[in-house]
Each structure stands twice: as C-alpha cells, then as structure tokens.
Amino acid sequence: MKFIDEAIISVSSGHGGSGCVSFRREKYIPLGGPDGGNGGDGGDIIFKADPGKRTLHYFKTRRSFAAQNGAPGKGRQQTGKNGQDTIVPIPPGTIITDAETGQVIADMVVANESFTFLKGGRGGKGNKHFTTSTNRSPKFAQPGEPGQSARVKLELKLLADVGIIGLPNAGKSTLLSVISAARPAIRDYPFTTLSPNLGMVQIRDSEPFAVADIPGLIEGAHAGTGLGIQFLKHIERTRCLVHLIDAAAIDIDDPLRGYRTINNELAMYGKHLLEKPQVVVLNKMDITGAAELADLFVEAAGLQTCFRISAAARKGIEDLKKHLFTIVSTHHEPDPTDLSE
C-alpha cells in the first residue's frame, strides 16, 4: 500500500578555508621565506538511508541543513581543519529530486546506504604554494572555493505500519479518525469504505506511524468476493494488524464466528498473514449488553491480551495507541525495495 509523504529542504555544503599569507619570523632568521598553509576543505552534504526513520516527519520542523566551513590555513605551513560533513537522515525508500527541475538525483532504497550529494569547497592554497624562482616572497594566497547550495524534494512511498481489519461496520473508520488526523467517510452501514484510508499516529514527540483502515472483509474475500483480493493485498505490507470486532454484534451462540471468518480469509489468501502480530480490539463497548458479549468472546478465544474500547466515545484509545507504537517500533521493518501495489 503506497501513500506519498513529501518534504522540501535546503542544503548547503561548506566553503573552503582561505590559504594563509605568512612568512617565517624566527630568531636569527628575520627574513625567512613564505610559510602560509592551505585552507581546509568545506564539509559535504551526505544523505543516509536510516532504517530507524519511517516517515519524513523530521523535516516538518527542520528544513535547512548546512555543512561546516573549512578553517583558514595558518603560518608554519599549517593546513586549516576540514569542515565537518553534515549527514541528513532519511527513511529507506526516499527519492531525492531537484525541487526546481524535478530531475531525480538519487533513489535511496538500501538501508544504511550513503550518498554524497554536495561536495564542500576546496581549501585555498597558502602563499608557500606560490613560491617560484622569480617570486621567492609571494604576498598573496588563494581564497577557498565556495560551497554549493540546492533545494531538494524528498518523496517517500509510505507503507502503512498497521492495518485495521474486521467485518463491515466494525468501526474501523471511526477508530482511524480518533487515533489520527484522518477524516474518512463514516456511516452506520456496511461498506462505507471502498478504499483504504491512511492516518498518521503520533505519541508525544515520537516518530509517527501510519495506520490504514482496510475495507470490511467478508466470507469469500480470498477468492475475490467483493473487492476482497484487492483489500487483502493491502494487508501484506503492514507490520501488524488490528482485528477490530463489534462487541455489540457478537453472536451469543457462537462468539468467535466473526473472528474466525476474518482469520480464515487471511489464511486462505496466505498463511503468512496469520504470522503478523494481531491485536484484537473489542469496539463499541459503550453499547448496552456489549460488556457481557465481550466476556463471552474473551473466554471462548482464550486471548491473553484483548483491548476493550469505544472509538465513538474515545475510551481506551490511548492504551491502544501506546501498544501499537511498541509493536511498530520493535517489529521487523518491511523491505523498502518492494514498492509494488
């Protein structure tokens, strides 16, 4: 499942330090020759694919990056210190393009790979460098080369970290709307959602994670009933699943009927889907009678962890968000090279 996250930033490499004009002035050598050292090179701008980054959220508050300038040369042929490089961390899968022309500069796919985008300016030569047989005391040095600047666009094909699954009308869109800033269509009838909606969930200042509500699955989805196969394809790239259940609609004679229906469809499509971490969430706990039905479900399922919430009343939401953040932060990173639909 691909969604686009974008940011435009300005980057500048460091200027080279100026060469030094200097002459030896030591005891017994009052008219020594030139000994001006070279300036240091400016720092580079380097992009690095950081596997610890999942989104471009970092660039919402920082949009400018500059490498350090090289230090000027000194007397006694001392070369100035090189400027420190600036490493710009980006999530694997980020495409870097020229913000003005749209030309692709780099496609950072592999985790931990680095790309030197802007080289720093070279340091200038000191006057010692310009000594010749006809000019033994040059009184000039070379200035350092200027650094380079550019505006680039970062584009990330963002993968949903969490997929919310469940039968139609379980409250998936409502849950997404209360844990994120997403505003999906919400109606009190099945199949309101016809395509996945994405929301970004953030806990305090942490790296956000992406959550998608997957349209309601029904029996036969694995065989293409409804839009089943399309919806199941979206689930493949998520790190974990939230299995949302309408607690008020649990069958008193067979509490696990709906739960089994969804998991059977996952298994029929591909058993690897059942290997994903699955967080079971009983929704609509504010409705009369839901608590008793929820008890029947938990007893029948034998689950150690099961969240009880009311998305509409915003109850139990914070604990669920924290739990999902823990899973997303520790679970295996999806392969960023696989960006297929």
Side-chain angles (χ1 to χ4, degrees):
M1 181 167 17
K2 295 191 295 184
F3 302 89
I4 304 300
D5 192 9
E6 298 178 343
I8 294 179
I9 62 172
S10 298
V11 290
S12 301
S13 60
H15 302 308
S18 298
C20 175
V21 176
S22 176
F23 296 90
R24 291 176 62 193
R25 292 293 184 266
E26 302 175 18
K27 191 175 183 179
Y28 308 119
I29 313 178
L31 298 176
D35 69 351
N38 300 334
D41 295 336
D44 302 337
I45 291 291
I46 301 171
F47 286 98
K48 182 175 182 179
D50 183 348
K53 298 289 184 183
R54 296 187 299 273
T55 70
L56 298 177
H57 175 75
Y58 175 64
F59 301 101
K60 304 303 180 187
T61 55
R62 185 173 179 185
R63 299 181 180 273
S64 180
F65 297 82
Q68 191 177 38
N69 295 331
K74 298 180 181 179
R76 299 186 179 182
Q77 299 184 49
Q78 296 182 68
T79 299
K81 188 176 181 180
N82 291 337
Q84 188 172 359
D85 299 334
T86 288
I87 297 177
V88 183
I90 56 177
T94 300
I95 297 174
I96 306 169
T97 60
D98 186 297
E100 310 302 330
T101 66
Q103 181 179 358
V104 174
I105 298 167
D107 189 352
M108 305 292 287
V109 174
V110 182
N112 292 312
E113 73 171 315
S114 296
F115 168 64
T116 301
F117 174 45
L118 299 180
K119 293 289 293 181
R122 289 182 298 182
K125 302 294 185 182
N127 66 336
K128 170 67 177 177
H129 178 81
F130 298 101
T131 303
T132 65
S133 58
T134 57
N135 186 359
R136 297 180 179 275
S137 301
K139 297 180 175 60
F140 62 90
Q142 188 179 48
E145 291 182 352
Q148 307 174 68
S149 297
R151 290 179 72 247
V152 297
K153 180 179 180 181
L154 307 177
E155 181 180 271
L156 173 65
K157 294 175 181 177
L158 187 65
L159 304 175
D161 298 297
V162 179
I164 307 175
I165 60 173
L167 291 172
N169 218 28
K172 295 180 292 296
S173 296
T174 301
L175 177 58
L176 181 66
S177 72
V178 299
I179 63 175
S180 72
R183 291 295 175 264
I186 299 172
R187 300 288 187 275
D188 191 22
Y189 53 82
F191 300 109
T192 301
T193 303
L194 297 179
S195 61
N197 295 298
L198 184 80
M200 300 305 297
V201 180
Q202 186 174 17
I203 299 176
R204 296 182 295 277
D205 296 326
S206 63
E207 177 86 3
F209 60 94
V211 178
D213 68 317
I214 309 300
L217 299 175
I218 58 176
E219 192 167 358
H222 73 277
T225 300
L227 297 176
I229 289 179
Q230 288 180 237
F231 297 161
L232 285 164
K233 282 183 178 180
H234 288 303
I235 298 172
E236 287 191 283
R237 295 304 316 280
T238 60
R239 299 192 196 194
C240 71
L241 302 174
V242 168
H243 192 151
L244 194 66
I245 297 170
D246 180 352
I250 289 174
D251 188 334
I252 193 170
D253 296 319
D254 185 2
L256 301 183
R257 176 182 295 176
Y259 179 66
R260 282 198 308 270
T261 296
I262 296 298
N263 282 326
N264 285 343
E265 293 305 317
L266 297 184
M268 293 294 289
Y269 180 78
K271 292 188 182 300
H272 62 287
L273 295 183
L274 292 179
E275 297 172 359
K276 292 180 179 292
Q278 188 176 125
V279 180
V280 178
V281 180
L282 299 175
N283 190 25
K284 305 186 183 181
M285 293 300 297
D286 54 315
I287 296 178
T288 302
E292 292 76 11
L293 293 173
D295 290 339
L296 291 176
F297 173 85
V298 172
E299 182 179 357
L303 297 172
Q304 293 184 342
T305 302
C306 182
F307 287 84
R308 303 187 187 205
I309 70 167
S310 170
R314 298 176 179 264
K315 293 182 179 180
I317 299 301
E318 290 305 312
D319 287 342
L320 175 59
K321 286 169 59 175
K322 292 175 183 177
H323 185 72
L324 294 177
F325 176 74
T326 299
I327 295 176
V328 168
S329 300
T330 58
H331 191 35
H332 177 67
E333 181 83 13
D335 181 3
T337 63
D338 177 10
L339 297 176
S340 58
E341 293 287 358

